[in-house]
Amino acid sequence: MIEDFLRVRARVSFSEQLEALSLGPSCGLHFPDGFCSLGCRTETRACLGGGATVRQGLLGRLSPLVQPQQPSRKMVGVLLLLLLLPFFLYIAAPKIRKMLSSGVCTSTVQLPGKVAVVTGANTGIGKETAKELAQRGARVYLACRDIQKGELVAREIQTMTGNQQVLVRELDLADTKSIRAFAKDFLAEEKHLHILINNAGVMMCPYSKTADGFEMHMGVNHLGHFLLTHLLLEKLKESAPSRVVNVSSLAHHLGRIHFHNLQGEKFYNAGLAYCHSKLANILFTQELARRLKGSGVTTYSVHPGTVNSELVRHSLFMKWMWWLFSFFIKTPKQGAQTSLYCAITEGLEILNGHHFRASKEPAPALSRGLKANV
C-alpha cells in the first residue's frame, strides 16, 4: 500500500494531504486512480472512509516523510570543531613553532681572524648564516649568482654588524667555469679558509640542465658543491682546524642514486630529483669525512628544518603549502641555527661526518643506514 501511496502522493500537494489527514471518517477527496491521499483503496472515485484507525496507521507510516529531519549530535559536533579549529591553531601556533624550532646555537665562540665562505648567501638561510658569522667577527664571502642582490645584502650585514669584512663574489653553481673562476680568485686573494658552508640549492625545478649538461638538482645541489669543495680543499687543510658544512634535507629519506639515470633523461620527477640530490649531499659528507680523517678538516651535513625561504619559488603548490602552514614554518634565522652549530661549536670534531637536525641533534644511526638507499 505504501508504494501505491508514494506514486499518487506526487500528484497531490503536501497541504492537501495534510488537510485530508485532518478530515473525518471520509476525506472526501476524489482520485482517478482509485486511491485517496491517505492510501485508501476505493472501488469508486471517492474515498469511502477508513476512519480514525486508517488515519492513525498511515500517520505512523508518514511521520518520517512529513517531519523535518533534525541534525544529529555528531554532525553538530563536527561543524563546531571545524569552526573552532582555526582559533585553536592560532592560539597554539607560537608553541608549535617554538617546538619545531627548538634547536638554537648557543655557542659564544667569536671568530676574529677567521675566514668563511657561504654559498647562496644573498637570501634565506645563507643570508642569516653569513650575518651571524659576520656578527662574530669573521671575514665572510657571500658566494652568490646574483651580484647586485649580493651587494645589497652585504651592505645590510655591514650596517647591522659593524663588520666591514663582508665581501661578495660571483658563483654560479650551474656552471663549472664559474665555480673554477671563483675558486681561482679566492685562492689568490686569501691565505686561509676556516669555514665552508655549502648552502645554496634549488628545489622542484622544471626539467633542465646545467651549462655542463647535468640535471639541475644534482648539478647545483651536489656536483657544484662537490667541485667547489675539491678546489678549496688544500686551503682548508692548510687552515686546520677547519670545517665543511653541507646543507641537506630530511627529504633525503626519499632519495635514491640512480646511476643509470643520473641526468633524469629516462624518467624525471622534480620533487624526487631534489630528494636524490639531498641524499648525495649526505653521502658526500660521509665519504669526505672518511678521507679527511686526521687532517684537521671535519665535515657535517645538516637538516635545517622546514624554512620559509625562496627555495620553493619554482613550485606553486609548495608556495601555497608554505603560506597555508606559515604559522608552523621556521624563519630563515631559525633555519640557520643548525648550520651555525656545526660551523662554530667547539668539541664537535668527534662527530665528524655525522648528520645533524634541530641544531643539537646528531643522527649517527640515520647516517649509518644511508648506504642502503644507493
Side-chain angles (χ1 to χ4, degrees):
M1 181 185 293
I2 193 69
E3 291 83 0
D4 295 332
F5 162 72
L6 290 174
R7 285 199 299 271
V8 177
R9 180 171 174 261
R11 304 184 185 183
V12 183
S13 71
F14 188 68
S15 59
E16 286 180 308
Q17 294 178 48
L18 290 178
E19 183 181 350
L21 289 173
S22 65
L23 296 176
S26 176
C27 68
L29 295 179
H30 296 265
F31 296 92
D33 295 331
F35 294 91
C36 77
S37 61
L38 295 179
C40 305
R41 182 178 295 276
T42 62
E43 299 267 335
T44 66
R45 289 180 175 272
C47 174
L48 299 177
T53 303
V54 174
R55 285 198 300 276
Q56 289 172 0
L58 288 172
L59 278 171
R61 295 185 183 183
L62 287 173
S63 58
L65 301 173
V66 299
Q67 291 181 2
Q69 294 292 322
Q70 298 295 327
S72 67
R73 292 182 180 180
K74 187 175 181 181
M75 175 145 328
V76 171
V78 170
L79 290 174
L80 213 69
L81 181 62
L82 290 175
L83 289 173
L84 293 175
L85 184 61
F87 174 74
F88 287 135
L89 289 177
Y90 178 79
I91 297 297
K95 292 184 178 180
I96 296 175
R97 179 181 284 179
K98 184 178 180 180
M99 179 184 67
L100 294 176
S101 59
S102 57
V104 177
C105 178
T106 57
S107 172
T108 58
V109 170
Q110 296 300 304
L111 304 170
K114 302 295 184 181
V115 179
V117 171
V118 183
T119 67
N122 61 341
T123 185
I125 296 173
K127 175 183 174 181
E128 294 299 329
T129 304
K131 186 189 299 181
E132 183 62 29
L133 294 174
Q135 183 72 55
R136 294 171 184 262
R139 181 176 170 87
V140 184
Y141 282 82
L142 312 184
C144 47
R145 184 168 54 90
D146 190 334
I147 290 293
Q148 286 187 328
K149 193 172 181 179
E151 293 288 356
L152 291 173
V153 170
R155 286 196 290 271
E156 178 186 333
I157 294 175
Q158 289 169 354
T159 302
M160 292 183 68
T161 65
N163 184 348
Q164 299 304 307
Q165 297 186 89
V166 181
L167 309 171
V168 182
R169 297 293 182 268
E170 184 177 5
L171 174 65
D172 185 355
L173 289 164
D175 187 348
T176 56
K177 290 181 180 178
S178 175
I179 299 170
R180 293 181 184 278
F182 170 87
K184 181 180 178 180
D185 293 343
F186 178 84
L187 294 173
E189 187 175 357
E190 286 292 340
K191 295 181 180 180
H192 301 285
L193 175 59
H194 303 96
I195 300 171
L196 171 61
I197 299 183
N198 293 321
N199 166 83
V202 293
M203 179 180 178
M204 298 191 73
C205 299
Y207 184 75
S208 57
K209 291 185 176 182
T210 67
D212 303 278
F214 303 118
E215 187 277 317
M216 189 61 71
H217 292 88
M218 190 63 74
V220 171
N221 297 351
H222 170 56
L223 295 174
H225 284 128
F226 175 90
L227 176 59
L228 177 65
T229 305
H230 171 72
L231 295 173
L232 299 178
L233 200 53
E234 289 305 314
K235 188 67 71 178
L236 285 162
K237 290 179 180 179
E238 294 170 8
S239 309
S242 54
R243 296 183 181 182
V244 178
V245 179
N246 295 315
V247 178
S248 182
S249 169
L250 192 65
H252 77 266
H253 284 293
L254 298 177
R256 299 290 184 273
I257 305 300
H258 299 289
F259 289 103
H260 65 286
N261 188 44
L262 282 178
Q263 312 313 325
E265 293 173 332
K266 295 182 179 179
F267 54 87
Y268 178 78
N269 177 280
L272 289 177
Y274 174 75
C275 299
H276 303 334
S277 69
K278 295 292 104 177
L279 173 61
N281 291 154
I282 299 181
L283 295 174
F284 170 48
T285 300
Q286 291 181 338
E287 182 60 21
L288 188 62
R290 187 184 69 82
R291 295 193 181 202
L292 295 178
K293 189 176 182 180
S295 68
V297 182
T298 52
T299 180
Y300 314 92
S301 62
V302 303
H303 166 57
T306 305
V307 180
N308 186 11
S309 70
E310 294 182 7
L311 189 62
V312 297
R313 63 187 179 276
H314 295 291
S315 171
L316 186 62
F317 172 74
M318 293 301 292
K319 286 193 287 186
W320 180 79
M321 290 294 289
W322 258 231
W323 174 82
L324 185 64
F325 295 101
S326 57
F327 281 119
F328 314 112
I329 293 177
K330 289 183 179 182
T331 64
K333 184 175 181 179
Q334 292 169 333
Q337 298 305 303
T338 316
S339 298
L340 289 167
Y341 179 81
C342 290
I344 66 177
T345 299
E346 295 175 312
L348 212 60
E349 289 76 13
I350 59 172
L351 295 175
N352 183 25
H354 280 68
H355 180 65
F356 285 74
R357 55 177 182 262
S359 183
K360 299 181 182 178
E361 186 183 351
L366 175 67
S367 298
R368 286 198 297 269
L370 283 174
K371 291 186 178 179
N373 290 333
V374 180

